[in-house]
Amino acid sequence: MKIVSSSGKGNFKLIEKNSEICELVYTNWFLEKAKSVLNGNKIEIKPKNIWTSKVDIYKNDTNIGDITFNLKGQMIIRLEKSNGMECNYVLKNKAKWKLKFEVYNESETLQFSLNSVNNWSKLNYDYDIEIADFNSEFDIKELLVYCGYAANLYLAIISAV
């Protein structure tokens, strides 16, 4: 699978075997609001405050979690299971010169990584997705949409400092 930038605004497509699964489109880049449709479900991601330190995730108009930036420079993706239990994922940048985000579950087991295939002549970021030990109740494609958004948000936050 791949995440491929579709515009300079941060929009991206989730691609599997050369077929588009979905596209995340920023409806307002400055406010970090984004929308997508995946498997018939309407996904909306929008900041809870003007500092974008916390971003809410909505699925079919129901708040199912959030994304936050912690003091260790990591993105925390908190999702609520259908039974009401929480599940947390941590997205960490593990490389210095080239972006490589790794996503860990609560047990600190590597789930997958997003390896940058960035072309510096373009102002966008594409990622090859390398699946590790993915074992989640959440659909990997849905989680990848949230991680793609979190990676964009991470880059916006660190470039602002």
Side-chain angles (χ1 to χ4, degrees), residues 66-113:
D66 54 50
I67 301 170
T68 55
F69 185 77
N70 70 14
L71 296 175
K72 295 178 183 177
Q74 304 166 341
M75 303 303 292
I76 309 299
I77 302 166
R78 183 190 63 80
L79 298 170
E80 192 173 302
K81 298 177 190 175
S82 55
N83 63 6
M85 298 294 290
E86 266 185 24
C87 197
N88 293 299
Y89 296 91
V90 178
L91 181 132
K92 304 175 184 181
N93 183 17
K94 299 299 276 188
K96 287 188 179 198
W97 304 112
K98 194 170 185 179
L99 290 173
K100 179 180 180 177
F101 292 105
E102 293 183 344
V103 178
Y104 296 86
N105 65 8
E106 293 173 324
S107 305
E108 297 182 17
T109 303
L110 177 64
Q111 300 295 288
F112 53 85
S113 60

Side-chain angles (χ1 to χ4, degrees), residues 11-160:
N11 299 354
F12 63 85
K13 294 179 181 182
L14 183 59
I15 307 288
E16 183 177 38
K17 297 178 185 169
N18 295 325
S19 185
E20 181 180 326
I21 305 300
C22 69
E23 181 176 18
L24 184 87
V25 177
Y26 284 83
T27 56
N28 188 325
W29 174 246
F30 295 107
L31 296 178
E32 301 282 342
K33 289 183 181 178
K35 291 184 179 181
S36 185
V37 175
L38 177 64
N39 299 328
N41 295 304
K42 184 177 89 173
I43 294 172
E44 187 174 10
I45 306 171
K46 56 187 176 183
K48 190 172 185 98
N49 56 42
I50 60 170
W51 301 280
T52 65
S53 58
K54 187 173 188 177
V55 179
D56 285 329
I57 300 170
Y58 293 88
K59 185 175 178 181
N60 299 323
D61 298 321
T62 301
N63 187 320
I64 63 158
D66 54 50
I67 301 170
T68 55
F69 185 77
N70 70 14
L71 296 175
K72 295 178 183 177
Q74 304 166 341
M75 303 303 292
I76 309 299
I77 302 166
R78 183 190 63 80
L79 298 170
E80 192 173 302
K81 298 177 190 175
S82 55
N83 63 6
M85 298 294 290
E86 266 185 24
C87 197
N88 293 299
Y89 296 91
V90 178
L91 181 132
K92 304 175 184 181
N93 183 17
K94 299 299 276 188
K96 287 188 179 198
W97 304 112
K98 194 170 185 179
L99 290 173
K100 179 180 180 177
F101 292 105
E102 293 183 344
V103 178
Y104 296 86
N105 65 8
E106 293 173 324
S107 305
E108 297 182 17
T109 303
L110 177 64
Q111 300 295 288
F112 53 85
S113 60
L114 296 116
N115 302 314
S116 175
V117 289
N118 187 31
N119 180 347
W120 291 105
S121 65
K122 298 189 297 180
L123 293 175
N124 58 22
Y125 294 94
D126 297 344
Y127 301 96
D128 282 335
I129 298 156
E130 186 179 315
I131 307 298
D133 187 19
F134 187 75
N135 56 358
S136 174
E137 293 178 29
F138 290 99
D139 177 45
I140 190 164
K141 294 170 186 159
E142 184 177 344
L143 186 55
L144 283 167
V145 169
Y146 305 144
C147 289
Y149 179 95
N152 282 349
L153 184 59
Y154 172 88
L155 293 170
I157 289 171
I158 63 164
S159 66

